[in-house]
Amino acid sequence: MEKTQTIKEIKELLSSGTEISSDYLALLKQDARKGVQTALKQYENRLKKQALIQENYHKMQSYERALREQGKGYIAGIDEVGRGPLAGPVVSAAVILPEEPDLAGINDSKQLSEVEREHWAEKIKKVALAINYSVISPEMIDSLNIYEATRVSMKESVEGLGIRPDCLLIDAMRIDSRIPQEKIIKGDAKSISIAAASIIAKVTRDNIMKELAEKYPGYGFERNAGYGTKDHLDGLKKHGVTPIHRKSFRPVKDLL
């Protein structure tokens, strides 16, 4: 390391993404300047974070790897969003990913911000072999009950994929299908395919609820996605029940 190298130059090098030699890092550790030590610490923390991302990415493909070792080529991950809200549809998505999907850093949709979900949804759409989603109306939810409506939604999402899967990985559910399936509790955090389906389902449903918010203002659907938040409950008391409310759900049922 040249003695004339400034702290700014060191920071730029450490953040450039180029490979840093162990000899250079050893010299930096001996540099007494506080700015250099801060930059070095940030660099080390960034490497640790990247290593954790790669480790989690590897873990999230364990179910898929095991199935591919059994000769399964097309593995569909299935997840749903919207079982708990008082209004709007339940949405399920099915996603088939390639063996190397290049999605390091993906997580289940509940752990991501709206901006992050939108980002991952676009990446998933670019790399996926097949994607499909199913939207089940509040009327059908009231007719079937939410559990059965969710199962119907999941089945529809699989049947519309365009590619027949060899196996299904489903988040905490089983569906009526002759395709071999595996139920995984908290699957959206354990399987990359289910995580991808979770993101597609969440982004799809959120966009639907934003459109419904324009049609039915005063309930905050663009913010609460139909869940029973204070602004939603206040809207129900003030404006009453809309056609998109689930009439079998309380407190909606009590207002009829």
Side-chain angles (χ1 to χ4, degrees), residues 48-100:
K48 288 178 183 177
K49 183 178 179 180
Q50 290 171 354
L52 286 173
I53 287 173
Q54 289 298 324
E55 181 183 351
N56 189 54
Y57 181 54
H58 183 75
K59 285 181 180 178
M60 289 184 73
Q61 296 181 79
S62 60
Y63 286 95
E64 287 81 359
R65 276 196 305 274
L67 289 169
R68 287 194 173 94
E69 288 172 2
Q70 299 171 25
K72 309 292 186 184
Y74 296 122
I75 303 157
I78 302 101
D79 200 4
E80 56 73 29
V81 173
R83 288 176 70 176
L86 305 178
V90 64
V91 176
S92 294
V95 176
I96 299 177
L97 295 174
E99 188 169 351
E100 294 297 335

Coordinates of all heavy atoms in Angstrom, one line a residue, residues 48-100:
K48 N -19.5 -10.1 5.4 CA -20.3 -11.1 6.3 C -21.7 -11.1 5.8 O -22.3 -12.2 5.8 CB -20.2 -10.6 7.7 CG -18.9 -10.8 8.4 CD -18.9 -10.3 9.8 CE -17.5 -10.4 10.5 NZ -17.4 -9.8 11.8
K49 N -22.3 -10.0 5.5 CA -23.7 -9.9 5.0 C -23.9 -10.7 3.7 O -24.8 -11.5 3.6 CB -24.1 -8.4 4.8 CG -25.6 -8.3 4.5 CD -26.0 -6.8 4.3 CE -27.4 -6.7 3.9 NZ -27.8 -5.3 3.8
Q50 N -22.9 -10.5 2.8 CA -23.0 -11.2 1.5 C -22.9 -12.7 1.7 O -23.5 -13.5 1.1 CB -21.9 -10.7 0.6 CG -22.1 -9.3 0.1 CD -20.9 -8.7 -0.6 OE1 -19.8 -9.4 -0.7 NE2 -21.1 -7.6 -1.2
A51 N -22.0 -13.1 2.7 CA -21.8 -14.6 3.0 C -23.1 -15.1 3.6 O -23.5 -16.3 3.2 CB -20.7 -14.8 4.0
L52 N -23.8 -14.4 4.4 CA -25.1 -14.8 5.0 C -26.2 -14.9 3.9 O -27.0 -15.9 4.0 CB -25.5 -13.9 6.1 CG -24.8 -14.0 7.4 CD1 -25.2 -12.8 8.4 CD2 -25.0 -15.3 8.1
I53 N -26.2 -14.0 3.0 CA -27.1 -14.0 1.9 C -26.9 -15.3 1.1 O -27.9 -16.0 0.7 CB -27.0 -12.8 1.0 CG1 -27.6 -11.6 1.8 CG2 -27.7 -13.0 -0.3 CD1 -27.3 -10.2 1.1
Q54 N -25.7 -15.6 0.8 CA -25.4 -16.8 0.0 C -25.7 -18.1 0.7 O -26.2 -19.1 0.2 CB -23.9 -16.8 -0.4 CG -23.5 -15.8 -1.5 CD -24.3 -16.0 -2.8 OE1 -24.5 -17.1 -3.2 NE2 -24.6 -14.9 -3.4
E55 N -25.4 -18.1 2.0 CA -25.8 -19.2 2.9 C -27.3 -19.5 2.9 O -27.7 -20.6 2.8 CB -25.2 -19.0 4.3 CG -25.5 -20.2 5.2 CD -25.0 -19.9 6.6 OE1 -24.3 -18.9 6.9 OE2 -25.3 -20.7 7.5
N56 N -28.0 -18.4 3.1 CA -29.5 -18.5 3.1 C -30.0 -19.0 1.8 O -31.0 -19.8 1.7 CB -30.1 -17.2 3.6 CG -31.6 -17.4 3.8 OD1 -32.1 -18.2 4.6 ND2 -32.4 -16.5 3.2
Y57 N -29.5 -18.4 0.7 CA -29.8 -18.8 -0.7 C -29.6 -20.3 -0.9 O -30.5 -20.9 -1.5 CB -29.0 -17.9 -1.6 CG -29.3 -18.1 -3.1 CD1 -30.6 -18.0 -3.6 CD2 -28.3 -18.4 -4.0 CE1 -30.8 -18.1 -5.0 CE2 -28.5 -18.6 -5.3 CZ -29.8 -18.4 -5.8 OH -30.1 -18.6 -7.1
H58 N -28.5 -20.8 -0.4 CA -28.2 -22.2 -0.6 C -29.3 -23.0 0.2 O -29.8 -24.0 -0.3 CB -26.8 -22.5 -0.1 CG -26.4 -23.9 -0.3 ND1 -26.1 -24.4 -1.5 CD2 -26.3 -24.9 0.6 CE1 -25.7 -25.7 -1.3 NE2 -25.9 -26.0 -0.1
K59 N -29.6 -22.6 1.5 CA -30.5 -23.3 2.3 C -31.9 -23.3 1.7 O -32.6 -24.4 1.7 CB -30.6 -22.7 3.7 CG -29.4 -23.0 4.6 CD -29.6 -22.3 5.9 CE -28.5 -22.5 6.9 NZ -28.7 -21.8 8.2
M60 N -32.3 -22.2 1.1 CA -33.6 -22.1 0.5 C -33.8 -23.0 -0.8 O -35.0 -23.1 -1.2 CB -34.0 -20.6 0.2 CG -34.2 -19.8 1.4 SD -34.7 -18.1 1.0 CE -36.4 -18.4 0.5
Q61 N -32.8 -23.5 -1.3 CA -32.9 -24.4 -2.4 C -32.8 -25.9 -2.0 O -32.7 -26.8 -2.9 CB -31.8 -24.1 -3.4 CG -31.9 -22.7 -4.0 CD -30.9 -22.4 -5.1 OE1 -30.9 -22.8 -6.2 NE2 -29.9 -21.6 -4.6
S62 N -32.8 -26.2 -0.7 CA -32.5 -27.6 -0.3 C -33.7 -28.5 -0.7 O -33.4 -29.6 -1.2 CB -32.4 -27.6 1.2 OG -33.5 -27.1 1.9
Y63 N -34.9 -28.0 -0.6 CA -36.0 -28.9 -1.1 C -36.0 -29.1 -2.6 O -36.2 -30.3 -3.0 CB -37.4 -28.2 -0.7 CG -37.7 -28.3 0.8 CD1 -37.4 -27.2 1.6 CD2 -38.3 -29.4 1.3 CE1 -37.7 -27.3 3.0 CE2 -38.7 -29.4 2.7 CZ -38.3 -28.4 3.5 OH -38.6 -28.4 4.8
E64 N -35.7 -28.1 -3.3 CA -35.6 -28.2 -4.8 C -34.4 -29.1 -5.2 O -34.6 -30.0 -6.1 CB -35.4 -26.8 -5.4 CG -36.7 -26.0 -5.4 CD -36.9 -25.2 -4.1 OE1 -36.1 -25.4 -3.1 OE2 -37.9 -24.5 -4.0
R65 N -33.3 -29.0 -4.5 CA -32.1 -29.9 -4.8 C -32.5 -31.3 -4.6 O -32.2 -32.2 -5.4 CB -30.9 -29.5 -4.0 CG -30.1 -28.3 -4.6 CD -28.7 -28.3 -3.9 NE -28.8 -28.1 -2.5 CZ -29.0 -27.0 -1.8 NH1 -29.1 -25.9 -2.5 NH2 -29.0 -27.0 -0.5
A66 N -33.1 -31.6 -3.5 CA -33.5 -33.0 -3.1 C -34.4 -33.6 -4.2 O -34.3 -34.7 -4.5 CB -34.1 -33.0 -1.7
L67 N -35.4 -32.8 -4.6 CA -36.3 -33.3 -5.6 C -35.7 -33.5 -7.0 O -36.0 -34.4 -7.7 CB -37.5 -32.3 -5.7 CG -38.5 -32.3 -4.5 CD1 -39.4 -31.1 -4.6 CD2 -39.2 -33.6 -4.5
R68 N -34.7 -32.6 -7.3 CA -34.0 -32.8 -8.6 C -33.1 -34.0 -8.6 O -33.0 -34.7 -9.6 CB -33.2 -31.5 -8.9 CG -34.1 -30.3 -9.3 CD -33.3 -29.2 -10.0 NE -34.2 -28.2 -10.5 CZ -34.5 -27.1 -9.8 NH1 -34.0 -26.9 -8.6 NH2 -35.4 -26.3 -10.3
E69 N -32.6 -34.3 -7.4 CA -31.8 -35.6 -7.3 C -32.7 -36.8 -7.5 O -32.2 -37.9 -7.8 CB -31.1 -35.6 -5.9 CG -30.0 -34.6 -5.8 CD -29.4 -34.5 -4.4 OE1 -30.0 -35.3 -3.5 OE2 -28.5 -33.7 -4.1
Q70 N -34.0 -36.6 -7.3 CA -35.0 -37.7 -7.5 C -35.5 -37.7 -8.9 O -36.3 -38.5 -9.3 CB -36.1 -37.6 -6.5 CG -35.8 -37.7 -5.1 CD -37.0 -37.3 -4.2 OE1 -38.1 -37.5 -4.6 NE2 -36.7 -36.9 -3.0
G71 N -35.0 -36.8 -9.8 CA -35.4 -36.8 -11.2 C -36.5 -35.8 -11.5 O -37.0 -35.8 -12.6
K72 N -36.9 -35.0 -10.5 CA -38.0 -34.0 -10.7 C -37.4 -32.8 -11.4 O -36.5 -32.1 -10.8 CB -38.6 -33.6 -9.4 CG -39.1 -34.8 -8.5 CD -40.2 -35.6 -9.1 CE -40.7 -36.6 -8.1 NZ -41.8 -37.5 -8.7
G73 N -37.9 -32.5 -12.6 CA -37.4 -31.3 -13.3 C -38.1 -30.0 -13.1 O -37.5 -29.0 -12.9
Y74 N -39.5 -30.1 -13.1 CA -40.3 -29.0 -13.0 C -41.0 -29.0 -11.6 O -41.9 -29.7 -11.3 CB -41.4 -28.9 -14.0 CG -40.8 -28.8 -15.4 CD1 -41.1 -29.7 -16.4 CD2 -40.0 -27.7 -15.8 CE1 -40.5 -29.6 -17.7 CE2 -39.5 -27.6 -17.0 CZ -39.7 -28.5 -18.0 OH -39.2 -28.4 -19.3
I75 N -40.5 -28.1 -10.7 CA -40.9 -28.1 -9.3 C -41.7 -26.7 -9.1 O -41.1 -25.7 -9.3 CB -39.7 -28.1 -8.3 CG1 -39.0 -29.4 -8.6 CG2 -40.2 -28.1 -6.9 CD1 -37.5 -29.4 -8.1
A76 N -42.9 -26.8 -8.8 CA -43.7 -25.6 -8.6 C -43.9 -25.2 -7.1 O -44.2 -26.1 -6.3 CB -45.1 -25.8 -9.2
G77 N -43.6 -24.0 -6.8 CA -43.8 -23.5 -5.5 C -45.2 -22.8 -5.5 O -45.5 -22.1 -6.4
I78 N -46.0 -23.0 -4.4 CA -47.3 -22.4 -4.4 C -47.5 -21.7 -3.0 O -47.2 -22.3 -2.0 CB -48.4 -23.5 -4.6 CG1 -48.3 -24.2 -5.9 CG2 -49.8 -22.8 -4.5 CD1 -47.6 -25.5 -5.8
D79 N -48.1 -20.5 -3.0 CA -48.4 -19.8 -1.8 C -49.6 -18.9 -2.1 O -49.9 -18.6 -3.2 CB -47.2 -19.0 -1.3 CG -47.3 -18.7 0.2 OD1 -48.2 -19.1 0.8 OD2 -46.4 -17.9 0.7
E80 N -50.2 -18.5 -1.0 CA -51.4 -17.6 -1.0 C -51.2 -16.4 -0.2 O -50.3 -16.3 0.7 CB -52.6 -18.4 -0.6 CG -52.5 -19.0 0.8 CD -52.6 -18.0 2.0 OE1 -53.2 -16.9 1.8 OE2 -52.0 -18.2 3.0
V81 N -52.0 -15.4 -0.5 CA -52.0 -14.1 0.2 C -53.5 -13.7 0.4 O -54.2 -13.8 -0.6 CB -51.2 -13.0 -0.5 CG1 -51.4 -11.7 0.2 CG2 -49.7 -13.4 -0.5
G82 N -53.8 -13.3 1.6 CA -55.1 -12.7 1.7 C -56.2 -13.6 2.4 O -57.4 -13.4 2.2
R83 N -55.7 -14.5 3.3 CA -56.7 -15.3 4.0 C -57.4 -14.5 5.2 O -58.5 -14.7 5.5 CB -56.1 -16.5 4.6 CG -55.7 -17.6 3.6 CD -55.0 -18.7 4.1 NE -55.8 -19.6 5.0 CZ -55.4 -20.7 5.5 NH1 -54.2 -21.2 5.4 NH2 -56.3 -21.4 6.3
G84 N -56.7 -13.5 5.7 CA -57.1 -12.8 6.9 C -57.9 -11.5 6.7 O -58.7 -11.1 7.6
P85 N -57.8 -10.9 5.6 CA -58.5 -9.6 5.4 C -60.0 -9.7 5.5 O -60.6 -10.7 5.3 CB -58.1 -9.1 4.0 CG -56.8 -9.8 3.8 CD -56.9 -11.1 4.4
L86 N -60.7 -8.6 5.7 CA -62.1 -8.5 5.8 C -62.7 -8.2 4.4 O -63.9 -8.3 4.2 CB -62.6 -7.4 6.7 CG -62.0 -7.4 8.2 CD1 -62.5 -6.2 9.0 CD2 -62.5 -8.7 8.8
A87 N -61.9 -7.8 3.5 CA -62.3 -7.4 2.1 C -61.3 -7.8 1.1 O -60.1 -8.0 1.4 CB -62.5 -5.9 2.1
G88 N -61.8 -8.0 -0.1 CA -61.0 -8.3 -1.3 C -60.8 -9.8 -1.4 O -61.3 -10.6 -0.6
P89 N -60.1 -10.2 -2.5 CA -60.0 -11.6 -2.9 C -58.8 -12.3 -2.1 O -58.0 -11.6 -1.4 CB -59.6 -11.5 -4.3 CG -58.8 -10.3 -4.4 CD -59.5 -9.3 -3.5
V90 N -58.8 -13.6 -2.2 CA -57.6 -14.3 -1.8 C -56.9 -14.7 -3.1 O -57.5 -15.0 -4.1 CB -58.0 -15.6 -1.0 CG1 -58.7 -16.6 -1.8 CG2 -56.7 -16.3 -0.5
V91 N -55.6 -14.5 -3.1 CA -54.8 -14.7 -4.3 C -53.7 -15.8 -4.1 O -53.0 -15.7 -3.1 CB -54.1 -13.4 -4.8 CG1 -53.2 -13.6 -6.0 CG2 -55.2 -12.3 -5.1
S92 N -53.6 -16.7 -5.0 CA -52.6 -17.7 -4.9 C -51.7 -17.6 -6.1 O -52.2 -17.2 -7.2 CB -53.1 -19.1 -4.8 OG -53.8 -19.3 -3.6
A93 N -50.4 -18.0 -6.0 CA -49.5 -18.0 -7.2 C -48.7 -19.3 -7.2 O -48.5 -19.9 -6.1 CB -48.6 -16.8 -7.1
A94 N -48.4 -19.7 -8.4 CA -47.5 -20.9 -8.6 C -46.4 -20.5 -9.4 O -46.6 -19.8 -10.4 CB -48.3 -22.0 -9.2
V95 N -45.2 -20.9 -9.1 CA -44.0 -20.5 -9.8 C -43.1 -21.7 -10.0 O -42.8 -22.4 -9.0 CB -43.2 -19.4 -9.1 CG1 -41.9 -19.0 -9.8 CG2 -44.1 -18.1 -8.9
I96 N -42.6 -21.9 -11.2 CA -41.6 -22.9 -11.5 C -40.3 -22.1 -11.9 O -40.3 -21.4 -12.8 CB -42.0 -23.8 -12.7 CG1 -43.3 -24.6 -12.3 CG2 -40.9 -24.8 -13.0 CD1 -43.8 -25.4 -13.5
L97 N -39.2 -22.4 -11.1 CA -38.0 -21.7 -11.3 C -37.0 -22.7 -12.0 O -37.1 -23.9 -11.8 CB -37.4 -21.3 -10.0 CG -38.1 -20.2 -9.2 CD1 -37.5 -20.0 -7.9 CD2 -38.2 -18.9 -10.0
P98 N -36.0 -22.1 -12.7 CA -34.9 -23.0 -13.2 C -34.0 -23.5 -12.1 O -34.1 -23.0 -11.0 CB -34.2 -22.1 -14.2 CG -34.4 -20.7 -13.6 CD -35.8 -20.7 -13.0
E99 N -33.1 -24.4 -12.5 CA -32.2 -24.9 -11.4 C -31.3 -23.9 -10.8 O -31.0 -23.9 -9.6 CB -31.4 -26.1 -12.1 CG -30.6 -26.8 -11.0 CD -30.0 -28.1 -11.6 OE1 -30.3 -28.5 -12.7 OE2 -29.1 -28.7 -10.9
E100 N -30.9 -22.9 -11.6 CA -30.0 -21.8 -11.1 C -30.8 -20.5 -11.4 O -30.5 -19.8 -12.4 CB -28.7 -21.8 -11.7 CG -27.8 -23.0 -11.4 CD -27.5 -23.1 -9.9 OE1 -27.5 -22.1 -9.2 OE2 -27.2 -24.2 -9.4

